[in-house]
Amino acid sequence: QKEVEQDPGPLSVPEGAIVSLNCTYSNSAFQYFMWYRQYSRKGPELLMYTYSSGNKEDGRFTAQVDKSSKYISLFIRDSQPSDSATYLCAMSGNTDKLIFGTGTRLQVFP
Amino acid sequence: GAVVSQHPSRVICKSGTSVKIECRSLDFQATTMFWYRQFPKQSLMLMATSNEGSKATYEQGVEKDKFLINHASLTLSTLTVTSAHPEDSSFYICSARVQGLETEAFFGQGTRLTVV
C-alpha cells in the first residue's frame, strides 16, 4: 500500500463548478500537508499549506485536513479553464522529506 | 512565497557528456534541498536530499556516482548528470524548505534534459 493515495483522474468539469480533490494517507505521523498545482512541463507551485487538522481558505481554494480519517481535500470554487492542471498533494511528518500523491489531472472546460 | 530558481530550464546534450543543473534559493537560506525526477504523467520521484556542507543522501536505486550533488552554500545546490545516456532524459526538479520541518517546500521551474 502506498503511503499516499490520490486518484489520478482525469477529472473533467465545466467552468464554474466546484472541484473536490482528495488524498488519503496511512502514516499517522504526517502533520504537514500541502497542495501543489503543476502545469505541463513546469515545476509544482504551492497552493495551500496546512498544519495538523482543520480548514484553511485562500481565495477560491479551501484545504481541509481530517487527521482522524487520514484524509485531506482541496476544494476549488468557481473553477476556471486556467485551473486546468495536475494537482499534487504532499505531506511530511518527522523528517524533511515530502511524500507526494500521484497527482490528479483536472480539466475545466468552458 | 519564497522563490527557488532552477537553471537551465531545458538542455539537450550528447550521449556520454555531463550536464550540470543549478538550484538557487533566491530570498531565503535552505540548509536542505531536494532533487526529484519526473516522468511524463507521473508524480515526482525523490532522488536525493542535498544537505549544505555534507554529503547528499540518495534514495534507494539512485546511483550516486551518476547523479552528483553538491550543496556548497545555503542558497545553491547543483545536480550533475555524469556520462548521460538517453534513458537519463527526463524532467528534473529541485525544491527547498525555508527551514525545519514545519514550513512549506518551494519548487524550481524544472529542467527538461534530453540526451541524444
Side-chain angles (χ1 to χ4, degrees):
Chain A
Q1 182 190 8
K2 289 181 182 177
E3 277 193 286
V4 179
E5 299 275 0
Q6 183 176 10
D7 187 334
L11 179 62
S12 186
V13 301
E15 184 174 357
I18 296 175
V19 175
S20 172
L21 303 165
N22 311 292
C23 288
T24 58
Y25 62 95
S26 57
N27 189 340
S28 57
F30 289 151
Q31 49 186 333
Y32 308 104
F33 304 93
M34 288 155 252
W35 284 97
Y36 291 88
R37 176 175 62 195
Q38 186 177 24
Y39 293 110
S40 182
R41 303 190 177 201
K42 300 288 184 184
E45 171 193 7
L46 180 67
L47 285 177
M48 300 290 282
Y49 167 71
T50 311
Y51 168 67
S52 195
S53 284
N55 295 356
K56 186 173 183 179
E57 189 173 318
D58 184 1
R60 296 185 296 113
F61 299 93
T62 299
Q64 287 186 351
V65 175
D66 182 349
K67 290 191 69 181
S68 62
S69 302
K70 298 190 179 69
Y71 188 89
I72 69 170
S73 301
L74 177 71
F75 297 96
I76 307 174
R77 291 183 297 281
D78 187 25
S79 56
Q80 303 295 309
S82 58
D83 294 328
S84 298
T86 296
Y87 289 80
L88 296 147
C89 65
M91 49 199 80
S92 66
N94 299 324
T95 71
D96 277 350
K97 285 186 196 178
L98 284 183
I99 309 299
F100 282 88
T102 52
T104 300
R105 280 178 53 213
L106 171 67
Q107 271 189 307
V108 182
F109 55 90
Chain B
V3 178
V4 176
S5 176
Q6 189 174 339
H7 179 81
S9 59
R10 184 177 293 186
V11 59
I12 301 172
C13 71
K14 289 186 177 180
S15 197
T17 61
S18 295
V19 173
K20 182 186 282 189
I21 303 169
E22 290 188 350
C23 181
R24 294 181 184 272
S25 55
L26 295 187
D27 49 3
F28 66 99
Q29 292 184 332
T31 52
T32 305
M33 291 186 177
F34 304 89
W35 288 95
Y36 295 85
R37 185 172 179 175
Q38 188 176 34
F39 293 102
K41 298 186 180 181
Q42 293 190 25
S43 190
L44 289 79
M45 182 190 81
L46 179 65
M47 298 174 66
T49 302
S50 168
N51 303 294
E52 188 267 337
S54 65
K55 290 183 179 179
T57 304
Y58 289 82
E59 296 299 300
Q60 194 172 9
V62 178
E63 298 176 60
K64 61 181 181 181
D65 294 329
K66 179 159 190 66
F67 298 101
L68 298 179
I69 290 172
N70 183 275
H71 194 154
S73 76
L74 287 172
T75 59
L76 174 65
S77 176
T78 60
L79 168 68
T80 301
V81 183
T82 63
S83 187
H85 289 283
E87 56 265 31
D88 298 325
S89 299
S90 191
F91 193 56
Y92 293 87
I93 315 174
C94 69
S95 83
R97 295 184 85 158
V98 177
Q99 59 183 156
L101 305 176
E102 69 280 4
T103 58
E104 311 94 308
F106 296 93
F107 283 81
Q109 307 94 315
T111 297
R112 180 156 302 281
L113 170 63
T114 303
V115 185
V116 298

